[in-house]
Each structure stands twice: as structure tokens, then as C-alpha cells.
Amino acid sequence: MPKTITATRFKAECLALLDGVAEAGDSLVVTKRGKPVAVVGPVQAPDSLRGSVRFNVSDDDLLMPLPERWDADSP
């Protein structure tokens, strides 16, 4: 269960509390007038993108000449 803290105390100790969340990995529930208003939790590391790209064109296709002639100076 996450630790509960008042907004006033969170404001006064914000940096130290954020360091604690980062180190321990625990979440905080910030309350205002006894009602929860925010949850502060550790950031999850993003998934690796390695292996997620699929190539639909081969290197040979990218390097082959165009089938039509064109002039770079023409409009």
C-alpha cells in the first residue's frame, strides 16, 4: 500500500520525497483536505526498441537507379 502524505508536507519536502521514491521505488499518495489528489511513483524504464524495426526495402532497391530519366534543374 502506498504511503500517504499531505500536500502541505509534500510541498515542503518535495525534493527529498522524490529522491525517496526514486531510490525505494515506492509510490506516494498526496492528499488535500484528506482526499487523494495525486500519486507520485517511480518511472518505469522504457522497453527496448532493438529488433522492433522491419525493413520492407532491401539495400539493393535503395541504391538502384530510377527507371526514368529526370533533370534536377527542370521545374
Side-chain angles (χ1 to χ4, degrees), residues 7-39:
T8 302
R9 182 168 168 219
F10 181 78
K11 181 180 174 184
E13 301 175 25
C14 179
L15 296 178
L17 291 168
L18 291 175
D19 287 341
V21 167
E23 290 171 11
D26 297 332
S27 297
L28 294 174
V29 175
V30 182
T31 62
K32 196 170 186 179
R33 295 187 181 103
K35 295 182 181 179
V37 293
V39 176

Side-chain angles (χ1 to χ4, degrees):
M1 181 158 192
K3 179 181 174 183
T4 301
I5 188 167
T6 65
T8 302
R9 182 168 168 219
F10 181 78
K11 181 180 174 184
E13 301 175 25
C14 179
L15 296 178
L17 291 168
L18 291 175
D19 287 341
V21 167
E23 290 171 11
D26 297 332
S27 297
L28 294 174
V29 175
V30 182
T31 62
K32 196 170 186 179
R33 295 187 181 103
K35 295 182 181 179
V37 293
V39 176
V40 178
V43 175
Q44 302 296 325
D47 294 336
S48 172
L49 295 177
R50 186 174 302 276
S52 65
V53 175
R54 188 179 76 215
F55 294 101
N56 293 324
V57 178
S58 72
D59 289 342
D60 292 334
D61 290 338
L62 289 174
L63 299 175
M64 67 188 302
L66 295 172
E68 60 215 32
R69 295 187 52 84
W70 62 279
D71 182 10
D73 294 327
S74 68

